[in-house]
Amino acid sequence: MANFITAKELYKLLVLDYKIKFQEGCFDFRLGDVSVAVRRKDVVGDVIQKWLEEWLKRSRIDFLANPVIQMPPDIYLNKENLKKDWLEIKAFNHEDSPRFSIATFKFFAQDLIERPWHIDADYLIFGYVINEAGILRIKDLWLKKVWQITKIMSQWPLTVKVTQGTVSEIRPCNWYTRRTKTKVFECKEDFLSAFEETLYKNPATNLFAKEWKRKFYKSYKKHYGKEIFIPSWENIKDKYTERAKI
């Protein structure tokens, strides 16, 4: 019989029981009697997600892989309630800074209104290394919330990718480095404050920003049965602005 599991329980199982940091893997492509090791890092994220789904099945852990590709979450850990226990799977080359996409910026803004529980999704992040022989090893594994992997940039209140002057994606910061004094957001309310300010500063979402917070407040209270307060960015930005450089 399969069992439900929380993101924290899953993380502990992978790190403590399965000892994922001591496991090794490789990518092989076989056609006929010829096989080659695949070293392209752009396929690793998708493969790790598929591996995790298979690992969950073999561990007899109940879950639901999202049948809609490119829509969050990657995995529903509670398939009896699809409005909670969202799990997003991310991976990056640990020898470089994390550059994966957290979400498309405009989509995330609209989705928070339609599905406010998105803000509480968990992110299971694999930091991997691949050697010259194509052997992959998980160097580190994190379980984070979105506000724990983002911070302020020099030109924007939030770590984002900008394309032709317009914000296109929310991107992670290097949350585990000690090289800068800037810090990740302390709570989801501060993250949402920076997000709202980015909506205003971004030309493509400036008009939408004027109604965004009111709509989000209404949706959040309807779902959670309680209110959330997003502080003004001007009132909190000073604690995040020291050396705000990416």
Side-chain angles (χ1 to χ4, degrees), residues 71-72 76 86 107 111-119 219:
M71 280 287 288
Y76 298 97
W86 280 20
F107 166 81
D111 203 46
L112 284 180
I113 293 174
E114 297 176 1
R115 303 187 295 177
W117 53 90
H118 189 163
I119 190 63
S219 183

Side-chain angles (χ1 to χ4, degrees), residues 176-239:
Y176 53 90
T177 186
R178 297 181 179 178
R179 289 178 294 180
T180 67
K181 292 185 178 180
T182 53
K183 58 183 180 179
V184 298
F185 296 109
E186 296 176 357
C187 57
K188 65 181 169 184
E189 290 83 358
D190 285 3
F191 166 83
L192 290 168
S193 176
F195 181 77
E196 182 193 22
E197 184 67 14
T198 306
L199 283 172
Y200 275 108
K201 291 191 67 174
N202 181 41
T205 54
N206 177 265
L207 292 177
F208 177 61
K210 297 178 180 179
E211 291 292 319
W212 179 82
K213 181 164 33 177
R214 179 186 63 81
K215 291 180 179 179
F216 175 71
Y217 274 174
K218 182 179 180 181
S219 183
Y220 188 93
K221 184 176 181 180
K222 181 179 179 181
H223 175 68
Y224 286 101
K226 61 182 181 180
E227 295 182 344
I228 185 172
F229 174 72
I230 301 174
S232 167
W233 179 242
E234 290 298 317
N235 291 338
I236 68 168
K237 69 177 183 179
D238 287 349
K239 62 182 177 180

Side-chain angles (χ1 to χ4, degrees), residues 10-244:
L10 171 59
Y11 176 82
K12 290 180 180 179
L13 281 176
L14 286 169
V15 173
L16 300 179
D17 293 3
Y18 189 67
K19 302 187 185 309
I20 194 169
K21 296 180 186 180
F22 297 93
Q23 306 293 340
E24 291 185 345
C26 64
F27 295 94
D28 291 327
F29 172 73
R30 181 184 299 273
L31 183 61
D33 59 352
V34 178
S35 63
V36 294
V38 179
R39 296 180 178 84
R40 288 188 54 172
K41 297 180 175 65
D42 56 353
V43 303
V44 175
D46 289 340
V47 174
I48 285 179
Q49 180 180 333
K50 293 299 182 184
W51 173 89
L52 180 62
E53 291 174 10
E54 185 62 28
W55 184 88
L56 289 168
K57 292 176 184 177
R58 293 191 180 188
S59 301
R60 301 187 65 79
I61 295 171
D62 212 2
F63 74 99
L64 175 65
N66 194 337
V68 184
I69 300 175
Q70 304 300 327
M71 280 287 288
D74 293 318
I75 290 175
Y76 298 97
L77 288 177
N78 186 343
K79 66 181 186 181
E80 292 186 358
N81 186 347
L82 302 187
K83 296 182 180 181
K84 61 182 297 186
D85 296 319
W86 280 20
L87 187 67
E88 290 276 63
I89 311 301
K90 302 296 181 182
F92 71 99
N93 177 12
H94 200 285
E95 296 177 338
D96 201 352
S97 297
R99 293 191 176 93
F100 55 81
S101 175
I102 294 175
T104 302
F105 184 68
K106 290 180 69 175
F107 166 81
F108 190 75
Q110 185 62 42
D111 203 46
L112 284 180
I113 293 174
E114 297 176 1
R115 303 187 295 177
W117 53 90
H118 189 163
I119 190 63
D120 290 314
D122 287 295
Y123 292 78
L124 187 64
I125 307 168
F126 295 78
Y128 64 85
V129 291
I130 301 179
N131 64 22
E132 293 181 356
I135 302 300
L136 178 144
R137 182 169 60 86
I138 303 301
K139 188 170 183 179
D140 215 334
L141 183 69
W142 298 269
L143 183 66
K144 296 289 186 180
K145 298 291 189 180
V146 67
W147 57 89
Q148 297 173 322
I149 55 173
T150 50
K151 62 182 181 179
I152 190 173
M153 291 177 68
S154 56
Q155 301 298 321
W156 296 90
L158 189 64
T159 40
V160 293
K161 178 183 178 182
V162 179
T163 305
Q164 297 180 341
T166 299
V167 176
S168 56
E169 294 179 354
I170 302 173
R171 288 289 181 92
C173 64
N174 192 333
W175 63 87
Y176 53 90
T177 186
R178 297 181 179 178
R179 289 178 294 180
T180 67
K181 292 185 178 180
T182 53
K183 58 183 180 179
V184 298
F185 296 109
E186 296 176 357
C187 57
K188 65 181 169 184
E189 290 83 358
D190 285 3
F191 166 83
L192 290 168
S193 176
F195 181 77
E196 182 193 22
E197 184 67 14
T198 306
L199 283 172
Y200 275 108
K201 291 191 67 174
N202 181 41
T205 54
N206 177 265
L207 292 177
F208 177 61
K210 297 178 180 179
E211 291 292 319
W212 179 82
K213 181 164 33 177
R214 179 186 63 81
K215 291 180 179 179
F216 175 71
Y217 274 174
K218 182 179 180 181
S219 183
Y220 188 93
K221 184 176 181 180
K222 181 179 179 181
H223 175 68
Y224 286 101
K226 61 182 181 180
E227 295 182 344
I228 185 172
F229 174 72
I230 301 174
S232 167
W233 179 242
E234 290 298 317
N235 291 338
I236 68 168
K237 69 177 183 179
D238 287 349
K239 62 182 177 180
Y240 296 112
T241 54
E242 187 177 10
R243 297 186 183 179

